[in-house]
Amino acid sequence: MLRELFTYLKTKASKEAKAFGHLYESIAIQEREKRCKSFWLPHRTKCKNFISSHLKLAKAFDRVLILGSGPLHEIPIDILSTTFRDVDLIDIVHLSETKNKYSHLKNIHFIEADITELEKKILHEKKIINQVPTFFQNQKYDLIISANLLTQLSYHLRNFLEKKAVPKLTDVELEKFCYQVSYDHYQYITGFQCPVILITDIETEFIGIHDELIDKQMPYLNFPLPAPKDSWLWNLAPRPEVSKDYSVRMKVAAFILNY
Ligand SMILES: C[S@@+](CC[C@H](N)C(=O)[O-])C[C@H]1O[C@@H](n2cnc3c(N)ncnc32)[C@H](O)[C@@H]1O
């Protein structure tokens, strides 16, 4: 607990990263990852292999943009660093542990930014705003990678709006907002003039102690996606990580867009 508090205090993060809970979550996930490392390894390996085996889609190897880079657990960063001249890593939080670990890779650039481009405005105006982001679209990239970010984007925004919006929002309004945030990210990444690798969860399953399916939840995705090139199960929280009664696993799918 003390170590987490120390990390929280010493990490340079934006007002929004703190206000929406991203910084707290990044630190908590880093701790959970230490407990779940072996369960998460197959998912990470799948992500890394999928990305590595599709780098050849790029027509040139000057610049790659990774959205949702976080602690780089799912990103084959050494391979990207040797394949591309520049590797731009975008996340609302990069902990110094991650930056220090890869400081020997001189062509990777950690950039802290809100990929929805909504947080500053919503924090200020406390109301629903939707828009397709434009960050980095005026720059030339050879490949875009959106790495397990799509379904996360609305999570903290929804929690914030649920508590703080004035006037109070209905569930229907909040759900509509969340679906739009996901779709705007999809429109954003497909707006680049280069191939896009999209990796995202598409379903969450709750599994009981006899390996029976208790419940299924769908993330905020209600627009047509192309057929995935690959998919797998991610053993996200085996019992008793979140409950002694059930485990949580996700279906993850990997797509190639703009190609
Ligand atoms: C499931 S994690 C992705 C992990 C990462 N791909 C890896 O290789 O370890 C989702 C990431 O999305 C980031 N994120 C969530 N909302 C964001 C936003 N609005 N802007 C930028 N990053 C965001 C989180 O900070 C977190 O690092």
Side-chain angles (χ1 to χ4, degrees):
M1 208 52 205
L2 264 182
R3 188 178 53 203
E4 281 108 308
L5 180 63
F6 181 66
T7 308
Y8 189 92
L9 294 175
K10 79 167 188 197
T11 303
K12 278 200 197 114
S14 66
K15 192 172 160 190
E16 292 78 38
K18 289 184 178 164
F20 286 95
H22 294 292
L23 177 56
Y24 175 84
E25 188 184 37
S26 298
I27 295 167
I29 285 180
Q30 197 179 38
E31 292 305 312
R32 177 183 286 183
E33 105 84 19
K34 285 173 189 148
R35 297 190 296 274
C36 297
K37 205 173 185 142
S38 62
F39 297 103
W40 289 4
L41 187 62
H43 160 72
R44 290 173 174 179
T45 307
K46 283 295 255 178
C47 292
K48 287 182 183 172
N49 288 347
F50 185 84
I51 294 170
S52 306
S53 61
H54 288 86
L55 296 183
K56 56 184 176 297
L57 296 180
K59 291 200 172 68
F61 296 95
D62 293 330
R63 300 180 73 202
V64 58
L65 180 69
I66 292 111
L67 304 169
S69 41
L72 297 174
H73 288 146
E74 302 153 349
I75 309 296
I77 193 65
D78 291 297
I79 296 176
L80 290 175
S81 170
T82 48
T83 306
F84 289 87
R85 190 195 66 213
D86 283 294
V87 181
D88 288 350
L89 303 166
I90 317 298
D91 201 287
I92 191 101
V93 176
H94 288 117
L95 296 176
S96 41
E97 190 175 317
T98 311
K99 290 181 177 173
N100 294 340
K101 186 171 172 189
Y102 296 106
S103 60
H104 60 287
L105 302 175
K106 301 298 178 205
N107 63 339
I108 71 169
H109 314 289
F110 288 98
I111 301 166
E112 281 84 46
D114 161 30
I115 299 174
T116 64
E117 284 179 45
L118 295 174
E119 297 199 342
K120 203 175 187 145
K121 290 177 203 148
I122 289 184
L123 188 61
H124 182 64
E125 296 186 29
K126 298 183 177 52
K127 64 172 195 191
I128 281 180
I129 301 169
N130 286 114
Q131 69 179 49
V132 181
T134 56
F135 265 161
F136 312 105
Q137 276 188 334
N138 59 353
Q139 301 183 37
K140 188 184 170 302
Y141 283 101
D142 303 304
L143 183 68
I144 309 294
I145 302 170
S146 170
N148 290 300
L149 168 76
L150 176 63
T151 62
Q152 311 293 303
L153 290 171
S154 59
Y155 178 77
H156 292 294
L157 289 167
R158 182 189 167 131
N159 285 347
F160 178 84
L161 285 168
E162 203 167 355
K163 291 189 202 111
K164 306 269 183 183
V166 187
K168 217 169 161 37
L169 295 164
T170 63
D171 266 358
V172 173
E173 286 168 322
L174 287 164
E175 301 261 302
K176 190 170 165 235
F177 164 76
C178 292
Y179 281 113
Q180 191 63 41
V181 171
S182 302
Y183 185 48
D184 287 344
H185 181 72
Y186 183 76
Q187 294 189 85
Y188 169 59
I189 55 179
T190 50
F192 283 91
Q193 304 296 310
C194 64
V196 177
I197 294 176
L198 167 66
I199 302 179
T200 181
D201 56 289
I202 50 168
E203 195 176 291
T204 303
E205 296 179 342
F206 298 83
I207 309 294
I209 49 177
H210 302 297
D211 215 26
E212 76 283 15
L213 181 67
I214 301 176
D215 193 16
K216 231 186 227 190
Q217 283 176 12
M218 309 307 280
Y220 292 113
L221 298 177
N222 65 351
F223 53 90
L225 282 158
K229 296 282 181 206
D230 198 357
S231 61
W232 57 89
L233 286 174
W234 177 8
N235 221 349
L236 184 72
R239 279 186 312 118
E241 182 60 30
V242 291
S243 163
K244 66 178 180 23
D245 299 322
Y246 61 83
S247 302
V248 184
R249 70 183 184 205
M250 277 178 167
K251 273 191 189 165
V252 178
F255 302 87
I256 300 296
L257 312 170
N258 281 4
Y259 193 75

